Structures are given as structure tokens and as C-alpha cells.
């Protein structure tokens, strides 16, 4: 049994760093934990760092898009950061385009993007 | 074929933990044979799809990995064998969007795009064998 994936608080955002390999059940657990945490902490943004993750298959792709959709319903934005180039290529070859998932090159860009999106939302 | 010593490994597939082990095993094969990062990622992803199908739809099975030579190029063959219900219509199952269980329906067709050669042998009621070949 893998340990649950830790969820860290980073200012107004939540930060999740996914490790090299994740069991399916651990990924589903993250989905539950993250929705609870968003609601508990009233977070407006979630950053998911997948720079250590070697494989995003259709299951993991679905988990990432479900997380983004659930966060949206709870009024939070999700940005997936740090996807490896080989993972990006494989995703496309697999036929997975993850339309509902917003991505950024790295954590820094992801933070900028979230801040921007939330600022725009606040003004609008 | 035949002049090099062949090497074979097997792995029981019964849970999501085994699907993870399957990815790691294929990663080791790809590293040992000095595959590029993208080829290694393709192989790990294809195996992840097919091994999961085996656990979820067929109640488990076995994965075999063996070395192969394709026109002199080194590589490996992955076979995932189950005794499950079989795939009633293999052609249909290869089409995008086909799914019997809540997934994105990309599993089989997606995996086929990620390997050099892909073969499905299935008979209703007699299980399924999926073969995926990789070479450099």
C-alpha cells in the first residue's frame, strides 16, 4: 500500500507533488483528499506538479481531468505543472488531449498563471 | 534470432500494485537495452494500459517479457495473457472510444499506437493474449 500523496498549503493555493510512480488507488485517494482540502481551506487554486511522474496513461489522465473538474465545481482553478516532454508526446500519441486540464511549464509559471486567472476573476 | 542468449521474465498481474510493477519492469528492460527516453515512456505507458485492462476486465493474468531481435535490432516482446471472458469483437475494441467500463476508451487503440508491433489473439470465453514488440 502506498502512502497518501501529501497536500501542502502554499499561500492561498494547494500544492501537490506527484512522485515517480503512483498506484491507481493512491491516485483516486488524492482526488478525494484534494476535494476535501479545497473545501476545508477554501482554496482558490491548486497546483499539481507532475515533473517526477514518468507515465500519464488514460487512467492518470482521467484522474487529472476529474480533479480539475471537481475543483472547478468548488470554485478553484487547477494548473498541472512540469509535464516531461516524453510524457507530453506519449499523451498525444495515446490520443489523450486533456481539454479540461490547464498546464504550465513549471511551478513558477503555474503560480503566475493561477494568480493571473484569479485576479481576472476577482475584477470581473 | 537464436544466436544471442534470450532472457525471459514474468510477472503476475492481480492488482493496481502489479500494474505499477509492470511499468517498473518495462522501464528496467528499456534502460538495459539503452532505449531513448521517449521509447521507454511509450513502452511503460502501453504496458500500463494493457496490464490494467487485464486486471480490471479479465480478473488478472500474467505478463511475460523476453528479448527479441528484429532484423538485427535488439528489443523486447511483452505478452499479457489472461484467462478472462475474451474480447468478443477485437476490431470493434480497437476503435477509438470503445469502452466497456467507464474509462476513456483509449486503452487498446492507444497502446497500439505506442509500439512497433501489436497483436491481439482472443476467443470469447477463452481469454486474451496481447503481444507488443519494441525494438530500436
Amino acid at each position: 500500500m502506498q502512502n497518501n500523496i501529501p497536500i501542502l498549503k502554499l499561500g492561498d493555493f494547494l500544492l501537490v507533488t506527484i512522485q515517480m510512480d503512483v498506484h491507481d488507488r493512491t491516485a483516486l485517494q488524492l482526488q478525494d483528499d484534494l476535494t476535501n482540502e479545497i473545501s476545508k481551506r477554501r482554496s482558490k487554486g491548486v497546483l499539481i506538479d507532475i515533473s517526477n511522474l514518468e507515465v500519464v496513461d488514460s487512467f492518470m489522465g482521467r484522474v487529472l481531468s476529474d480533479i480539475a473538474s471537481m475543483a472547478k465545481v468548488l470554485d478553484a482553478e487547477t494548473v498541472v505543472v512540469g509535464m516531461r516532454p516524453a510524457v507530453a508526446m506519449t499523451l498525444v500519441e495515446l490520443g489523450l488531449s486533456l481539454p479540461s486540464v490547464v498546464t504550465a511549464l513549471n511551478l513558477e509559471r503555474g503560480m503566475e498563471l493561477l494568480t493571473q486567472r484569479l485576479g481576472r476573476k476577482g475584477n470581473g | 534470432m537464436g544466436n544471442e542468449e534470450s532472457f525471459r521474465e514474468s510477472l503476475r498481474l492481480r492488482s493496481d500494485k502489479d500494474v505499477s510493477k509492470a511499468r517498473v519492469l518495462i522501464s528496467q528492460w528499456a534502460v538495459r537495452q539503452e532505449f531513448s527516453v521517449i521509447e521507454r515512456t511509450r513502452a511503460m505507458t502501453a504496458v500500463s494500459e494493457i496490464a490494467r485492462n487485464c486486471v480490471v476486465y479479465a480478473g488478472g493474468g500474467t505478463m511475460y517479457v523476453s528479448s527479441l531481435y528484429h532484423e538485427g535490432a535488439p528489443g523486447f516482446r511483452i505478452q499479457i495473457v489472461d484467462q478472462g471472458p475474451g474480447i468478443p469483437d477485437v476490431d470493434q475494441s480497437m476503435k477509438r472510444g470503445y469502452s466497456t467500463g467507464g474509462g476513456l476508451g483509449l486503452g487498446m487503440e492507444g497502446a497500439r499506437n505506442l509500439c512497433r508491433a501489436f497483436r491481439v489473439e482472443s476467443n470469447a470465453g477463452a481469454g486474451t493474449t496481447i503481444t507488443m514488440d519494441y525494438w530500436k
Side-chain angles (χ1 to χ4, degrees):
Chain A
M1 188 75 194
Q2 276 186 335
N3 291 331
N4 292 350
I5 299 169
I7 301 170
L8 306 177
K9 199 167 175 292
L10 189 71
D12 294 333
F13 305 145
L14 296 177
L15 171 65
V16 176
T17 304
I18 297 183
Q19 290 312 317
M20 232 167 102
D21 196 82
V22 185
H23 297 168
D24 291 0
R25 254 174 287 180
T26 311
L28 291 175
Q29 186 62 48
L30 172 67
Q31 203 171 301
D32 282 3
D33 293 349
L34 206 45
T35 38
N36 287 331
E37 207 65 13
I38 292 168
S39 140
K40 199 169 94 192
R41 299 191 185 271
R42 300 175 193 283
S43 306
K44 291 287 178 197
V46 179
L47 288 152
I48 303 178
D49 183 355
I50 61 166
S51 56
N52 292 320
L53 193 59
E54 290 191 295
V55 171
V56 176
D57 60 8
S58 61
F59 180 84
M60 196 62 203
R62 192 182 70 202
V63 168
L64 290 173
S65 52
D66 285 355
I67 286 175
S69 307
M70 287 175 192
K72 190 123 209 151
V73 176
L74 294 168
D75 194 26
E77 302 273 346
T78 304
V79 179
V80 171
V81 305
M83 186 183 292
R84 295 179 178 202
V87 170
M89 279 175 75
T90 306
L91 267 181
V92 172
E93 289 166 354
L94 194 60
L96 213 59
S97 56
L98 303 181
S100 58
V101 177
V102 176
T103 55
L105 201 59
N106 54 35
L107 197 53
E108 201 182 346
R109 296 255 190 106
M111 295 261 313
E112 280 170 21
L113 187 64
L114 266 186
T115 311
Q116 239 176 53
R117 288 172 80 102
L118 294 173
R120 207 180 302 146
K121 213 158 132 188
N123 297 334
Chain B
M1 289 272 279
N3 49 354
E4 297 278 341
E5 197 182 330
S6 69
F7 180 48
R8 194 169 195 238
E9 274 185 281
S10 67
L11 175 72
R12 283 296 243 339
L13 299 171
R14 278 185 283 206
S15 69
D16 63 336
K17 219 165 119 184
D18 298 328
V19 174
S20 166
K21 282 186 193 159
R23 289 191 291 259
V24 172
L25 183 67
I26 292 309
S27 173
Q28 289 164 351
W29 274 78
V31 167
R32 199 160 51 221
Q33 299 197 342
E34 298 177 335
F35 273 56
S36 67
V37 174
I38 175 72
E39 273 297 290
R40 176 165 59 93
T41 307
R42 283 188 185 118
M44 289 172 75
T45 308
V47 152
S48 190
E49 297 290 348
I50 302 301
R52 182 181 298 102
N53 282 355
C54 171
V55 169
V56 174
Y57 300 118
T62 310
M63 174 169 97
Y64 300 95
V65 195
S66 52
S67 44
L68 69 77
Y69 283 84
H70 181 89
E71 292 170 4
F76 49 89
R77 166 166 289 180
I78 304 162
Q79 282 194 301
I80 295 183
V81 181
D82 70 58
Q83 316 296 318
I87 302 166
D89 187 341
V90 171
D91 290 338
Q92 182 67 25
S93 72
M94 296 303 293
K95 286 187 186 135
R96 179 147 301 191
Y98 175 87
S99 175
T100 52
L104 287 169
L106 296 166
M108 288 255 282
E109 205 217 68
R112 182 176 60 175
N113 289 338
L114 298 177
C115 48
R116 296 267 196 174
F118 186 88
R119 197 169 68 240
V120 185
E121 290 150 273
S122 186
N123 291 305
T128 303
T129 298
I130 293 181
T131 306
M132 295 181 280
D133 289 344
Y134 285 87
W135 60 83
K136 290 214 275 189

